[in-house]
Amino acid sequence: MRLEDLPLRDDLRGRTPYGAPQIDVPIRLNTNENPYEPSKALVDDLAEEVRRSAATLNRYPDRDAVELRADLAAYLGHGLTGEQVWAANGSNEVLQQILQAFGGHGRSALGFEPSYSMHPIITSGTSTEWVDGMREEDFTLDPGKAVAAIEEHRPSIVFLTSPNNPTGTALPMATIRAVLEAAPGMVVVDEAYAEFAREGTPSALTLLPEFPRMIVTRTMSKAFAMAGTRVGYLAAHPAVVQALLLVRLPYHLSTLTQVAARTALRHRAELLGGVAALRRERDETVAWLRAQGLTVADSDANFVLFGRFEHRKAVWQGLLDRGVLIREVGPPQWLRVSIGTGEEMAAFRAALEGVL
Ligand SMILES: *Cc1c(COP(=O)(O)O)cnc(C)c1O
């Protein structure tokens, strides 16, 4: 039997699933993970905490993850409390719950592409209509055009991604504010890469007290070096969290996930310790790529978008043949490289020199 033969929803026919290739090569710079593995001290602490909680696995987890949410609020600062924070299996699940609660049939969500490919996928997965507001040539967002798109489409949800994936572009506060003032519904500011932003880039968290329909999403998958744990979270008005309780599955966040996340948060000095080095490595990568005569987008994240290539697939394949996996994503002539360790970036530079 083929997929087309199943009684699939009409709006899912012909769609392709999210598919960053998972290829086993020596240098993997394709999914924006943090390249630094947890230390032995952290691994030991995690093992001990998991062992302790294993004795309780006959019981369901804390359905509301109260302690984890309090810990996440303390990490975020800005005077936030656990009632203003919600967590799920990756920020992707957080986003899906937002769409389930505030989107759906007859409603639309507006984003500004090129941006995170999961925003339209989660949007259509919940039968919400996706509207692309488009970015400028240099991947910035024109606040006037953003407001005009909002007024034209009246979306139930607006997605802002800052810093944006796959371009690395951070949004000025004035643009976020303009969107918040114009939006008739919810505004999601996806800050998956906030910890990598350059000095002086403020977080949308500072706007929360003023805009109760804003949701700031974060993740432990990137700067926090815990992608395998699957924990994402948000900060918003407590009423927003109450809305998400209506759609979340009971006991969605396992006991082991909650324990691992809380342990990682205790070790945050170590886990976030690599961020400064990754930022330096990113800035050096941008400078090196420009010195090769390539076009490079300014980046506030742990990846760099560069181009432009007539045949980007050939460049991607050439790198892969040399043991370096990067990502074929974004506008047609561009490629994205995630920032790895110094050694990994040296291997990337050598491989790209070989290809070019
Ligand atoms: C990686 C990423 C996420 C995070 O996904 P998780 O589900 O938390 O691993 C969210 N938003 C953007 C823009 C991303 O690039």
Side-chain angles (χ1 to χ4, degrees), residues 84 86 94-95 97-99 101-102 157-158 160 180 186-191 204-205 208 211-218 233-237 240-241 244:
Q84 293 163 281
W86 180 246
V94 171
L95 294 171
Q97 292 172 344
I98 293 169
L99 262 300
F102 299 105
I157 298 161
V158 179
L160 297 176
L180 285 162
M186 306 303 292
V187 175
V188 176
V189 186
D190 186 333
E191 290 194 347
L205 289 172
L208 261 185
F211 295 99
R213 286 183 284 101
M214 179 178 75
I215 302 174
V216 180
T217 62
R218 297 279 189 106
Y233 54 103
L234 62 73
H237 191 279
V240 174
V241 175
L244 300 185

PDB file of all heavy atoms in Angstrom, residues 84 86 94-95 97-99 101-102 157-158 160 180 186-191 204-205 208 211-218 233-237 240-241 244:
ATOM      1  N   GLN A  84       4.355  31.710  34.987  1.00  0.00           N
ATOM      2  CA  GLN A  84       4.523  32.366  33.680  1.00  0.00           C
ATOM      3  C   GLN A  84       5.355  31.521  32.719  1.00  0.00           C
ATOM      4  O   GLN A  84       5.686  31.977  31.626  1.00  0.00           O
ATOM      5  CB  GLN A  84       5.207  33.725  33.868  1.00  0.00           C
ATOM      6  CG  GLN A  84       4.354  34.733  34.612  1.00  0.00           C
ATOM      7  CD  GLN A  84       5.209  35.872  35.122  1.00  0.00           C
ATOM      8  OE1 GLN A  84       5.887  35.756  36.131  1.00  0.00           O
ATOM      9  NE2 GLN A  84       5.201  36.974  34.407  1.00  0.00           N
ATOM     10  N   TRP A  86       6.053  27.613  30.867  1.00  0.00           N
ATOM     11  CA  TRP A  86       5.501  26.312  30.532  1.00  0.00           C
ATOM     12  C   TRP A  86       6.574  25.523  29.796  1.00  0.00           C
ATOM     13  O   TRP A  86       7.395  26.115  29.088  1.00  0.00           O
ATOM     14  CB  TRP A  86       4.238  26.474  29.666  1.00  0.00           C
ATOM     15  CG  TRP A  86       3.617  25.172  29.278  1.00  0.00           C
ATOM     16  CD1 TRP A  86       3.507  24.645  28.021  1.00  0.00           C
ATOM     17  CD2 TRP A  86       3.033  24.213  30.166  1.00  0.00           C
ATOM     18  NE1 TRP A  86       2.888  23.430  28.075  1.00  0.00           N
ATOM     19  CE2 TRP A  86       2.585  23.127  29.375  1.00  0.00           C
ATOM     20  CE3 TRP A  86       2.856  24.153  31.558  1.00  0.00           C
ATOM     21  CZ2 TRP A  86       1.969  21.997  29.922  1.00  0.00           C
ATOM     22  CZ3 TRP A  86       2.242  23.043  32.102  1.00  0.00           C
ATOM     23  CH2 TRP A  86       1.804  21.983  31.288  1.00  0.00           C
ATOM     24  N   VAL A  94       6.015  22.836  22.412  1.00  0.00           N
ATOM     25  CA  VAL A  94       5.440  24.086  22.935  1.00  0.00           C
ATOM     26  C   VAL A  94       4.719  24.816  21.809  1.00  0.00           C
ATOM     27  O   VAL A  94       3.569  25.255  21.956  1.00  0.00           O
ATOM     28  CB  VAL A  94       6.551  24.980  23.546  1.00  0.00           C
ATOM     29  CG1 VAL A  94       5.994  26.352  23.894  1.00  0.00           C
ATOM     30  CG2 VAL A  94       7.175  24.327  24.772  1.00  0.00           C
ATOM     31  N   LEU A  95       5.382  24.921  20.645  1.00  0.00           N
ATOM     32  CA  LEU A  95       4.777  25.621  19.504  1.00  0.00           C
ATOM     33  C   LEU A  95       3.507  24.907  19.045  1.00  0.00           C
ATOM     34  O   LEU A  95       2.501  25.547  18.710  1.00  0.00           O
ATOM     35  CB  LEU A  95       5.779  25.699  18.343  1.00  0.00           C
ATOM     36  CG  LEU A  95       7.026  26.561  18.582  1.00  0.00           C
ATOM     37  CD1 LEU A  95       8.032  26.378  17.444  1.00  0.00           C
ATOM     38  CD2 LEU A  95       6.660  28.033  18.730  1.00  0.00           C
ATOM     39  N   GLN A  97       1.473  23.139  20.854  1.00  0.00           N
ATOM     40  CA  GLN A  97       0.399  23.427  21.821  1.00  0.00           C
ATOM     41  C   GLN A  97      -0.158  24.838  21.619  1.00  0.00           C
ATOM     42  O   GLN A  97      -1.365  25.066  21.748  1.00  0.00           O
ATOM     43  CB  GLN A  97       0.929  23.245  23.255  1.00  0.00           C
ATOM     44  CG  GLN A  97       1.245  21.777  23.577  1.00  0.00           C
ATOM     45  CD  GLN A  97       1.960  21.598  24.911  1.00  0.00           C
ATOM     46  OE1 GLN A  97       2.498  22.552  25.475  1.00  0.00           O
ATOM     47  NE2 GLN A  97       1.977  20.378  25.417  1.00  0.00           N
ATOM     48  N   ILE A  98       0.737  25.783  21.279  1.00  0.00           N
ATOM     49  CA  ILE A  98       0.274  27.156  21.007  1.00  0.00           C
ATOM     50  C   ILE A  98      -0.676  27.154  19.804  1.00  0.00           C
ATOM     51  O   ILE A  98      -1.735  27.779  19.824  1.00  0.00           O
ATOM     52  CB  ILE A  98       1.482  28.093  20.757  1.00  0.00           C
ATOM     53  CG1 ILE A  98       2.296  28.263  22.045  1.00  0.00           C
ATOM     54  CG2 ILE A  98       1.014  29.455  20.229  1.00  0.00           C
ATOM     55  CD1 ILE A  98       3.649  28.941  21.843  1.00  0.00           C
ATOM     56  N   LEU A  99      -0.293  26.411  18.745  1.00  0.00           N
ATOM     57  CA  LEU A  99      -1.155  26.331  17.560  1.00  0.00           C
ATOM     58  C   LEU A  99      -2.467  25.627  17.878  1.00  0.00           C
ATOM     59  O   LEU A  99      -3.531  26.020  17.382  1.00  0.00           O
ATOM     60  CB  LEU A  99      -0.421  25.574  16.447  1.00  0.00           C
ATOM     61  CG  LEU A  99       0.291  26.391  15.365  1.00  0.00           C
ATOM     62  CD1 LEU A  99      -0.672  27.281  14.605  1.00  0.00           C
ATOM     63  CD2 LEU A  99       1.397  27.243  15.953  1.00  0.00           C
ATOM     64  N   ALA A 101      -4.033  25.638  20.680  1.00  0.00           N
ATOM     65  CA  ALA A 101      -4.886  26.487  21.519  1.00  0.00           C
ATOM     66  C   ALA A 101      -5.365  27.740  20.788  1.00  0.00           C
ATOM     67  O   ALA A 101      -6.488  28.197  20.995  1.00  0.00           O
ATOM     68  CB  ALA A 101      -4.134  26.889  22.797  1.00  0.00           C
ATOM     69  N   PHE A 102      -4.503  28.306  19.935  1.00  0.00           N
ATOM     70  CA  PHE A 102      -4.824  29.618  19.358  1.00  0.00           C
ATOM     71  C   PHE A 102      -5.011  29.594  17.839  1.00  0.00           C
ATOM     72  O   PHE A 102      -5.385  30.595  17.248  1.00  0.00           O
ATOM     73  CB  PHE A 102      -3.739  30.634  19.732  1.00  0.00           C
ATOM     74  CG  PHE A 102      -3.606  30.838  21.218  1.00  0.00           C
ATOM     75  CD1 PHE A 102      -2.531  30.297  21.916  1.00  0.00           C
ATOM     76  CD2 PHE A 102      -4.559  31.552  21.919  1.00  0.00           C
ATOM     77  CE1 PHE A 102      -2.416  30.472  23.287  1.00  0.00           C
ATOM     78  CE2 PHE A 102      -4.452  31.739  23.286  1.00  0.00           C
ATOM     79  CZ  PHE A 102      -3.373  31.189  23.982  1.00  0.00           C
ATOM     80  N   ILE A 157      -2.072  34.149  14.906  1.00  0.00           N
ATOM     81  CA  ILE A 157      -0.735  33.995  15.490  1.00  0.00           C
ATOM     82  C   ILE A 157       0.286  34.623  14.539  1.00  0.00           C
ATOM     83  O   ILE A 157       0.201  34.433  13.325  1.00  0.00           O
ATOM     84  CB  ILE A 157      -0.386  32.501  15.682  1.00  0.00           C
ATOM     85  CG1 ILE A 157      -1.368  31.848  16.657  1.00  0.00           C
ATOM     86  CG2 ILE A 157       1.057  32.325  16.186  1.00  0.00           C
ATOM     87  CD1 ILE A 157      -1.406  30.349  16.577  1.00  0.00           C
ATOM     88  N   VAL A 158       1.216  35.397  15.096  1.00  0.00           N
ATOM     89  CA  VAL A 158       2.355  35.891  14.309  1.00  0.00           C
ATOM     90  C   VAL A 158       3.622  35.251  14.879  1.00  0.00           C
ATOM     91  O   VAL A 158       3.809  35.234  16.100  1.00  0.00           O
ATOM     92  CB  VAL A 158       2.490  37.426  14.382  1.00  0.00           C
ATOM     93  CG1 VAL A 158       3.712  37.894  13.575  1.00  0.00           C
ATOM     94  CG2 VAL A 158       1.230  38.101  13.867  1.00  0.00           C
ATOM     95  N   LEU A 160       7.600  35.544  15.129  1.00  0.00           N
ATOM     96  CA  LEU A 160       8.843  36.275  14.937  1.00  0.00           C
ATOM     97  C   LEU A 160       9.960  35.358  15.434  1.00  0.00           C
ATOM     98  O   LEU A 160       9.797  34.713  16.474  1.00  0.00           O
ATOM     99  CB  LEU A 160       8.839  37.579  15.740  1.00  0.00           C
ATOM    100  CG  LEU A 160       7.781  38.620  15.350  1.00  0.00           C
ATOM    101  CD1 LEU A 160       7.857  39.810  16.309  1.00  0.00           C
ATOM    102  CD2 LEU A 160       7.990  39.083  13.908  1.00  0.00           C
ATOM    103  N   LEU A 180       3.820  43.735  17.853  1.00  0.00           N
ATOM    104  CA  LEU A 180       2.958  43.511  19.021  1.00  0.00           C
ATOM    105  C   LEU A 180       1.798  44.509  19.054  1.00  0.00           C
ATOM    106  O   LEU A 180       0.679  44.161  19.414  1.00  0.00           O
ATOM    107  CB  LEU A 180       3.786  43.625  20.312  1.00  0.00           C
ATOM    108  CG  LEU A 180       4.696  42.423  20.605  1.00  0.00           C
ATOM    109  CD1 LEU A 180       5.771  42.799  21.613  1.00  0.00           C
ATOM    110  CD2 LEU A 180       3.870  41.247  21.127  1.00  0.00           C
ATOM    111  N   MET A 186      -2.154  36.360  19.032  1.00  0.00           N
ATOM    112  CA  MET A 186      -0.946  36.029  19.775  1.00  0.00           C
ATOM    113  C   MET A 186       0.298  36.332  18.929  1.00  0.00           C
ATOM    114  O   MET A 186       0.278  36.177  17.705  1.00  0.00           O
ATOM    115  CB  MET A 186      -0.946  34.541  20.145  1.00  0.00           C
ATOM    116  CG  MET A 186      -2.189  34.068  20.893  1.00  0.00           C
ATOM    117  SD  MET A 186      -2.507  34.970  22.430  1.00  0.00           S
ATOM    118  CE  MET A 186      -1.121  34.434  23.436  1.00  0.00           C
ATOM    119  N   VAL A 187       1.378  36.733  19.601  1.00  0.00           N
ATOM    120  CA  VAL A 187       2.662  36.924  18.917  1.00  0.00           C
ATOM    121  C   VAL A 187       3.686  36.020  19.600  1.00  0.00           C
ATOM    122  O   VAL A 187       3.924  36.125  20.805  1.00  0.00           O
ATOM    123  CB  VAL A 187       3.140  38.384  18.983  1.00  0.00           C
ATOM    124  CG1 VAL A 187       4.532  38.529  18.361  1.00  0.00           C
ATOM    125  CG2 VAL A 187       2.140  39.295  18.265  1.00  0.00           C
ATOM    126  N   VAL A 188       4.236  35.091  18.828  1.00  0.00           N
ATOM    127  CA  VAL A 188       5.256  34.175  19.345  1.00  0.00           C
ATOM    128  C   VAL A 188       6.624  34.703  18.936  1.00  0.00           C
ATOM    129  O   VAL A 188       6.884  34.896  17.744  1.00  0.00           O
ATOM    130  CB  VAL A 188       5.070  32.758  18.763  1.00  0.00           C
ATOM    131  CG1 VAL A 188       6.187  31.838  19.239  1.00  0.00           C
ATOM    132  CG2 VAL A 188       3.708  32.203  19.132  1.00  0.00           C
ATOM    133  N   VAL A 189       7.475  34.989  19.901  1.00  0.00           N
ATOM    134  CA  VAL A 189       8.857  35.350  19.589  1.00  0.00           C
ATOM    135  C   VAL A 189       9.708  34.121  19.898  1.00  0.00           C
ATOM    136  O   VAL A 189       9.906  33.765  21.061  1.00  0.00           O
ATOM    137  CB  VAL A 189       9.333  36.579  20.381  1.00  0.00           C
ATOM    138  CG1 VAL A 189      10.726  37.003  19.900  1.00  0.00           C
ATOM    139  CG2 VAL A 189       8.348  37.730  20.229  1.00  0.00           C
ATOM    140  N   ASP A 190      10.164  33.443  18.843  1.00  0.00           N
ATOM    141  CA  ASP A 190      10.958  32.219  18.994  1.00  0.00           C
ATOM    142  C   ASP A 190      12.413  32.628  19.218  1.00  0.00           C
ATOM    143  O   ASP A 190      13.091  33.097  18.312  1.00  0.00           O
ATOM    144  CB  ASP A 190      10.800  31.376  17.719  1.00  0.00           C
ATOM    145  CG  ASP A 190      11.473  30.005  17.834  1.00  0.00           C
ATOM    146  OD1 ASP A 190      12.436  29.880  18.607  1.00  0.00           O
ATOM    147  OD2 ASP A 190      11.039  29.078  17.124  1.00  0.00           O
ATOM    148  N   GLU A 191      12.859  32.465  20.456  1.00  0.00           N
ATOM    149  CA  GLU A 191      14.227  32.865  20.831  1.00  0.00           C
ATOM    150  C   GLU A 191      15.101  31.641  21.091  1.00  0.00           C
ATOM    151  O   GLU A 191      15.869  31.599  22.065  1.00  0.00           O
ATOM    152  CB  GLU A 191      14.188  33.771  22.071  1.00  0.00           C
ATOM    153  CG  GLU A 191      13.606  35.149  21.823  1.00  0.00           C
ATOM    154  CD  GLU A 191      13.888  36.124  22.976  1.00  0.00           C
ATOM    155  OE1 GLU A 191      14.321  35.681  24.064  1.00  0.00           O
ATOM    156  OE2 GLU A 191      13.647  37.335  22.776  1.00  0.00           O
ATOM    157  N   ALA A 204      13.150  39.713  24.000  1.00  0.00           N
ATOM    158  CA  ALA A 204      11.749  40.149  24.023  1.00  0.00           C
ATOM    159  C   ALA A 204      11.139  39.965  25.416  1.00  0.00           C
ATOM    160  O   ALA A 204      10.069  40.515  25.698  1.00  0.00           O
ATOM    161  CB  ALA A 204      10.949  39.388  22.974  1.00  0.00           C
ATOM    162  N   LEU A 205      11.802  39.209  26.285  1.00  0.00           N
ATOM    163  CA  LEU A 205      11.294  39.031  27.652  1.00  0.00           C
ATOM    164  C   LEU A 205      11.063  40.377  28.345  1.00  0.00           C
ATOM    165  O   LEU A 205      10.162  40.498  29.183  1.00  0.00           O
ATOM    166  CB  LEU A 205      12.284  38.197  28.485  1.00  0.00           C
ATOM    167  CG  LEU A 205      12.397  36.714  28.145  1.00  0.00           C
ATOM    168  CD1 LEU A 205      13.540  36.083  28.918  1.00  0.00           C
ATOM    169  CD2 LEU A 205      11.078  35.997  28.443  1.00  0.00           C
ATOM    170  N   LEU A 208       7.435  41.573  28.081  1.00  0.00           N
ATOM    171  CA  LEU A 208       6.318  40.754  28.597  1.00  0.00           C
ATOM    172  C   LEU A 208       5.332  41.525  29.470  1.00  0.00           C
ATOM    173  O   LEU A 208       4.109  41.377  29.290  1.00  0.00           O
ATOM    174  CB  LEU A 208       6.850  39.548  29.369  1.00  0.00           C
ATOM    175  CG  LEU A 208       6.902  38.211  28.636  1.00  0.00           C
ATOM    176  CD1 LEU A 208       7.348  37.116  29.597  1.00  0.00           C
ATOM    177  CD2 LEU A 208       5.550  37.859  28.019  1.00  0.00           C
ATOM    178  N   PHE A 211       2.893  43.429  27.143  1.00  0.00           N
ATOM    179  CA  PHE A 211       2.134  42.771  26.075  1.00  0.00           C
ATOM    180  C   PHE A 211       1.702  41.359  26.485  1.00  0.00           C
ATOM    181  O   PHE A 211       2.402  40.382  26.233  1.00  0.00           O
ATOM    182  CB  PHE A 211       2.974  42.705  24.787  1.00  0.00           C
ATOM    183  CG  PHE A 211       3.281  44.055  24.212  1.00  0.00           C
ATOM    184  CD1 PHE A 211       4.510  44.654  24.435  1.00  0.00           C
ATOM    185  CD2 PHE A 211       2.332  44.734  23.449  1.00  0.00           C
ATOM    186  CE1 PHE A 211       4.799  45.904  23.904  1.00  0.00           C
ATOM    187  CE2 PHE A 211       2.612  45.981  22.916  1.00  0.00           C
ATOM    188  CZ  PHE A 211       3.846  46.569  23.144  1.00  0.00           C
ATOM    189  N   PRO A 212       0.522  41.238  27.125  1.00  0.00           N
ATOM    190  CA  PRO A 212       0.099  39.928  27.651  1.00  0.00           C
ATOM    191  C   PRO A 212      -0.211  38.894  26.568  1.00  0.00           C
ATOM    192  O   PRO A 212      -0.358  37.722  26.888  1.00  0.00           O
ATOM    193  CB  PRO A 212      -1.157  40.269  28.465  1.00  0.00           C
ATOM    194  CG  PRO A 212      -1.616  41.582  27.958  1.00  0.00           C
ATOM    195  CD  PRO A 212      -0.400  42.312  27.458  1.00  0.00           C
ATOM    196  N   ARG A 213      -0.275  39.297  25.296  1.00  0.00           N
ATOM    197  CA  ARG A 213      -0.509  38.300  24.240  1.00  0.00           C
ATOM    198  C   ARG A 213       0.785  37.887  23.548  1.00  0.00           C
ATOM    199  O   ARG A 213       0.745  37.256  22.509  1.00  0.00           O
ATOM    200  CB  ARG A 213      -1.531  38.826  23.238  1.00  0.00           C
ATOM    201  CG  ARG A 213      -2.962  38.806  23.796  1.00  0.00           C
ATOM    202  CD  ARG A 213      -4.009  39.253  22.791  1.00  0.00           C
ATOM    203  NE  ARG A 213      -4.026  40.693  22.609  1.00  0.00           N
ATOM    204  CZ  ARG A 213      -3.459  41.336  21.578  1.00  0.00           C
ATOM    205  NH1 ARG A 213      -2.843  40.651  20.636  1.00  0.00           N
ATOM    206  NH2 ARG A 213      -3.513  42.638  21.504  1.00  0.00           N
ATOM    207  N   MET A 214       1.915  38.227  24.149  1.00  0.00           N
ATOM    208  CA  MET A 214       3.197  37.788  23.594  1.00  0.00           C
ATOM    209  C   MET A 214       3.673  36.512  24.291  1.00  0.00           C
ATOM    210  O   MET A 214       3.479  36.342  25.497  1.00  0.00           O
ATOM    211  CB  MET A 214       4.265  38.867  23.784  1.00  0.00           C
ATOM    212  CG  MET A 214       5.611  38.423  23.231  1.00  0.00           C
ATOM    213  SD  MET A 214       6.888  39.695  23.371  1.00  0.00           S
ATOM    214  CE  MET A 214       7.247  39.621  25.096  1.00  0.00           C
ATOM    215  N   ILE A 215       4.258  35.608  23.513  1.00  0.00           N
ATOM    216  CA  ILE A 215       4.830  34.380  24.056  1.00  0.00           C
ATOM    217  C   ILE A 215       6.287  34.304  23.598  1.00  0.00           C
ATOM    218  O   ILE A 215       6.559  34.395  22.398  1.00  0.00           O
ATOM    219  CB  ILE A 215       4.090  33.125  23.523  1.00  0.00           C
ATOM    220  CG1 ILE A 215       2.597  33.189  23.872  1.00  0.00           C
ATOM    221  CG2 ILE A 215       4.739  31.854  24.054  1.00  0.00           C
ATOM    222  CD1 ILE A 215       1.775  32.048  23.248  1.00  0.00           C
ATOM    223  N   VAL A 216       7.209  34.156  24.530  1.00  0.00           N
ATOM    224  CA  VAL A 216       8.622  34.002  24.170  1.00  0.00           C
ATOM    225  C   VAL A 216       8.996  32.533  24.352  1.00  0.00           C
ATOM    226  O   VAL A 216       8.842  31.994  25.451  1.00  0.00           O
ATOM    227  CB  VAL A 216       9.530  34.892  25.049  1.00  0.00           C
ATOM    228  CG1 VAL A 216      10.999  34.710  24.654  1.00  0.00           C
ATOM    229  CG2 VAL A 216       9.119  36.353  24.924  1.00  0.00           C
ATOM    230  N   THR A 217       9.437  31.877  23.282  1.00  0.00           N
ATOM    231  CA  THR A 217       9.817  30.470  23.412  1.00  0.00           C
ATOM    232  C   THR A 217      11.332  30.323  23.419  1.00  0.00           C
ATOM    233  O   THR A 217      12.054  31.066  22.756  1.00  0.00           O
ATOM    234  CB  THR A 217       9.219  29.600  22.283  1.00  0.00           C
ATOM    235  OG1 THR A 217       9.727  30.040  21.020  1.00  0.00           O
ATOM    236  CG2 THR A 217       7.708  29.658  22.267  1.00  0.00           C
ATOM    237  N   ARG A 218      11.790  29.369  24.195  1.00  0.00           N
ATOM    238  CA  ARG A 218      13.223  29.055  24.346  1.00  0.00           C
ATOM    239  C   ARG A 218      13.399  27.538  24.302  1.00  0.00           C
ATOM    240  O   ARG A 218      12.425  26.798  24.347  1.00  0.00           O
ATOM    241  CB  ARG A 218      13.741  29.576  25.699  1.00  0.00           C
ATOM    242  CG  ARG A 218      13.687  31.095  25.871  1.00  0.00           C
ATOM    243  CD  ARG A 218      14.880  31.743  25.192  1.00  0.00           C
ATOM    244  NE  ARG A 218      14.974  33.155  25.523  1.00  0.00           N
ATOM    245  CZ  ARG A 218      15.881  33.681  26.375  1.00  0.00           C
ATOM    246  NH1 ARG A 218      16.738  32.893  26.993  1.00  0.00           N
ATOM    247  NH2 ARG A 218      15.915  34.978  26.593  1.00  0.00           N
ATOM    248  N   TYR A 233      10.666  25.494  26.304  1.00  0.00           N
ATOM    249  CA  TYR A 233       9.795  26.164  27.275  1.00  0.00           C
ATOM    250  C   TYR A 233       9.406  27.533  26.765  1.00  0.00           C
ATOM    251  O   TYR A 233       9.911  27.997  25.741  1.00  0.00           O
ATOM    252  CB  TYR A 233      10.483  26.238  28.645  1.00  0.00           C
ATOM    253  CG  TYR A 233      11.853  26.871  28.646  1.00  0.00           C
ATOM    254  CD1 TYR A 233      12.048  28.169  29.090  1.00  0.00           C
ATOM    255  CD2 TYR A 233      12.969  26.161  28.212  1.00  0.00           C
ATOM    256  CE1 TYR A 233      13.305  28.752  29.100  1.00  0.00           C
ATOM    257  CE2 TYR A 233      14.227  26.733  28.206  1.00  0.00           C
ATOM    258  CZ  TYR A 233      14.392  28.023  28.655  1.00  0.00           C
ATOM    259  OH  TYR A 233      15.638  28.602  28.647  1.00  0.00           O
ATOM    260  N   LEU A 234       8.480  28.158  27.472  1.00  0.00           N
ATOM    261  CA  LEU A 234       8.054  29.496  27.086  1.00  0.00           C
ATOM    262  C   LEU A 234       7.863  30.346  28.326  1.00  0.00           C
ATOM    263  O   LEU A 234       7.708  29.824  29.432  1.00  0.00           O
ATOM    264  CB  LEU A 234       6.744  29.448  26.288  1.00  0.00           C
ATOM    265  CG  LEU A 234       5.483  28.900  26.960  1.00  0.00           C
ATOM    266  CD1 LEU A 234       4.870  29.835  27.997  1.00  0.00           C
ATOM    267  CD2 LEU A 234       4.438  28.608  25.893  1.00  0.00           C
ATOM    268  N   ALA A 235       7.873  31.651  28.095  1.00  0.00           N
ATOM    269  CA  ALA A 235       7.485  32.608  29.129  1.00  0.00           C
ATOM    270  C   ALA A 235       6.345  33.433  28.553  1.00  0.00           C
ATOM    271  O   ALA A 235       6.397  33.857  27.393  1.00  0.00           O
ATOM    272  CB  ALA A 235       8.654  33.502  29.516  1.00  0.00           C
ATOM    273  N   ALA A 236       5.301  33.626  29.352  1.00  0.00           N
ATOM    274  CA  ALA A 236       4.115  34.350  28.889  1.00  0.00           C
ATOM    275  C   ALA A 236       3.272  34.727  30.104  1.00  0.00           C
ATOM    276  O   ALA A 236       3.614  34.400  31.247  1.00  0.00           O
ATOM    277  CB  ALA A 236       3.297  33.480  27.933  1.00  0.00           C
ATOM    278  N   HIS A 237       2.157  35.385  29.848  1.00  0.00           N
ATOM    279  CA  HIS A 237       1.203  35.692  30.910  1.00  0.00           C
ATOM    280  C   HIS A 237       0.641  34.373  31.460  1.00  0.00           C
ATOM    281  O   HIS A 237       0.439  33.425  30.693  1.00  0.00           O
ATOM    282  CB  HIS A 237       0.068  36.545  30.329  1.00  0.00           C
ATOM    283  CG  HIS A 237      -0.824  37.132  31.371  1.00  0.00           C
ATOM    284  ND1 HIS A 237      -1.832  36.421  31.963  1.00  0.00           N
ATOM    285  CD2 HIS A 237      -0.836  38.366  31.937  1.00  0.00           C
ATOM    286  CE1 HIS A 237      -2.435  37.185  32.857  1.00  0.00           C
ATOM    287  NE2 HIS A 237      -1.849  38.379  32.852  1.00  0.00           N
ATOM    288  N   VAL A 240      -1.995  32.575  29.502  1.00  0.00           N
ATOM    289  CA  VAL A 240      -1.557  31.826  28.308  1.00  0.00           C
ATOM    290  C   VAL A 240      -1.231  30.391  28.710  1.00  0.00           C
ATOM    291  O   VAL A 240      -1.600  29.432  28.020  1.00  0.00           O
ATOM    292  CB  VAL A 240      -0.327  32.510  27.650  1.00  0.00           C
ATOM    293  CG1 VAL A 240       0.209  31.662  26.507  1.00  0.00           C
ATOM    294  CG2 VAL A 240      -0.685  33.914  27.171  1.00  0.00           C
ATOM    295  N   VAL A 241      -0.558  30.250  29.852  1.00  0.00           N
ATOM    296  CA  VAL A 241      -0.237  28.898  30.334  1.00  0.00           C
ATOM    297  C   VAL A 241      -1.535  28.129  30.604  1.00  0.00           C
ATOM    298  O   VAL A 241      -1.658  26.950  30.254  1.00  0.00           O
ATOM    299  CB  VAL A 241       0.646  28.973  31.599  1.00  0.00           C
ATOM    300  CG1 VAL A 241       0.879  27.583  32.178  1.00  0.00           C
ATOM    301  CG2 VAL A 241       1.980  29.660  31.271  1.00  0.00           C
ATOM    302  N   LEU A 244      -2.852  26.686  27.460  1.00  0.00           N
ATOM    303  CA  LEU A 244      -2.118  25.520  26.951  1.00  0.00           C
ATOM    304  C   LEU A 244      -2.467  24.252  27.729  1.00  0.00           C
ATOM    305  O   LEU A 244      -2.415  23.149  27.188  1.00  0.00           O
ATOM    306  CB  LEU A 244      -0.616  25.795  26.991  1.00  0.00           C
ATOM    307  CG  LEU A 244      -0.172  26.991  26.145  1.00  0.00           C
ATOM    308  CD1 LEU A 244       1.340  27.114  26.136  1.00  0.00           C
ATOM    309  CD2 LEU A 244      -0.690  26.882  24.712  1.00  0.00           C
TER     310      LEU A 244
END
